[in-house]
Amino acid sequence: EPEVTQTPSHQVTQMGQEVILRCVPISNHLYFYWYRQILGQKVEFLVSFYNNEISEKSEIFDDQFSVERPDGSNFTLKIRSTKLEDSAMYFCASRGTPTTGELFFGEGSRLTVL
Amino acid sequence: EDQVTQSPEALRLQEGESSSLNCSYTVSGLRGLFWYRQDPGKGPEFLFTLYSAGEEKEKERLKATLTKKESFLHITAPKPEDSATYLCAVQAHFNNAGNMLTFGGGTRLMVKP
């Protein structure tokens, strides 16, 4: 069964450092998302991406965050200067159509900022 | 603003004891309501999407139903392996260019043998 894969599974970084989280969406999907979940809290939307540009972003997705699809398979989330409050699970998701059908999530990347 | 509220926050069941989880929502036109299962430290695993009031979907011991204000996830004769957090999410039709999902806080289900 096709799946969304994410790397790394866990990353520990110092405050102020840059972090790149990587995702390989399901191969025939065109719509990509990043969500995050702070421990014990709700899953929150960060950004959606289609046709090589951001479709929508939340208030959380400030200038410290960026997304990129550098090639035909990878989808990345970059945090330029990490803060303590960026510690969370980051989930990549993809779907084949934007308005119907399943949205599939990866297993997540746990980011710990010290 | 779209809102999703799930109840109860936690539910303990004996194996075989059927029950229901509730998801109440307010949304600017519902495009879809999603149910996911989430195991500790893992990503949400897709279960169902419901699109209109009256719709029902089933998968093994799970059955999801939808009204104009809420959705229920019915669990029939649960087994210990059904223990997980169940998440509900809505996708709004309007003011949602990115087709994002808004999630509820989840119901943590524990099934004891």
Side-chain angles (χ1 to χ4, degrees):
Chain A
E1 184 175 321
E3 60 180 15
V4 176
T5 58
Q6 291 186 240
T7 55
S9 57
H10 188 194
Q11 182 155 358
V12 181
T13 190
Q14 295 293 323
M15 190 169 55
Q17 294 297 304
E18 177 182 285
V19 162
I20 297 177
L21 306 179
R22 292 181 169 80
C23 169
V24 179
I26 295 174
S27 62
N28 61 345
H29 285 183
L30 300 175
Y31 300 86
F32 313 120
Y33 306 82
W34 283 100
Y35 286 78
R36 80 171 185 189
Q37 187 175 32
I38 295 171
L39 187 63
Q41 298 188 21
K42 294 183 181 183
V43 176
E44 303 174 287
F45 169 77
L46 292 178
V47 66
S48 58
F49 190 87
Y50 169 70
N51 199 26
N52 284 319
E53 61 182 26
I54 291 174
S55 307
E56 189 168 8
K57 58 185 180 180
S58 71
E59 292 179 352
I60 303 168
F61 196 88
D62 61 21
D63 292 343
Q64 294 299 314
F65 290 87
S66 63
V67 289
E68 191 177 37
R69 188 158 163 81
D71 53 44
S73 59
N74 291 285
F75 180 51
T76 63
L77 174 69
K78 181 192 290 186
I79 310 174
R80 289 190 184 83
S81 178
T82 50
K83 306 170 189 171
L84 296 176
E85 55 264 38
D86 294 328
S87 295
M89 279 287 279
Y90 288 81
F91 296 110
C92 175
S94 73
R95 68 198 307 184
T97 60
T99 57
T100 61
E102 302 91 339
L103 177 64
F104 292 100
F105 283 81
E107 289 294 280
S109 293
R110 178 173 299 283
L111 176 64
T112 302
V113 182
L114 302 177
Chain B
E1 183 179 330
D2 304 331
Q3 289 191 340
V4 181
T5 303
Q6 293 188 244
S7 62
E9 289 186 7
L11 180 63
R12 293 175 183 264
L13 298 174
Q14 288 295 130
E15 184 172 2
E17 180 186 2
S18 301
S19 187
S20 296
L21 282 53
N22 177 264
C23 171
S24 298
Y25 64 89
T26 54
V27 66
S28 56
L30 181 69
R31 188 180 287 282
L33 185 140
F34 296 72
W35 281 100
Y36 286 88
R37 170 189 170 130
Q38 186 177 32
D39 292 303
K42 303 290 187 181
E45 175 188 346
F46 174 80
L47 293 174
F48 306 108
T49 309
L50 302 168
Y51 296 103
S52 57
E55 189 175 1
E56 299 182 351
K57 288 191 176 175
E58 288 188 64
K59 180 180 180 180
E60 295 180 354
R61 295 177 292 282
L62 301 176
K63 179 180 176 180
T65 62
L66 180 65
T67 73
K68 289 185 178 180
K69 294 183 178 181
E70 57 192 350
S71 177
F72 291 94
L73 184 65
H74 307 278
I75 302 177
T76 302
K79 298 181 178 181
E81 53 262 42
D82 294 323
S83 297
T85 295
Y86 290 85
L87 303 176
C88 173
V90 296
Q91 179 176 343
H93 186 83
F94 301 108
N95 299 319
N96 189 9
N99 295 293
M100 58 177 261
L101 301 189
T102 299
F103 280 83
T107 293
R108 189 171 73 255
L109 174 66
M110 293 154 280
V111 182
K112 292 190 172 183

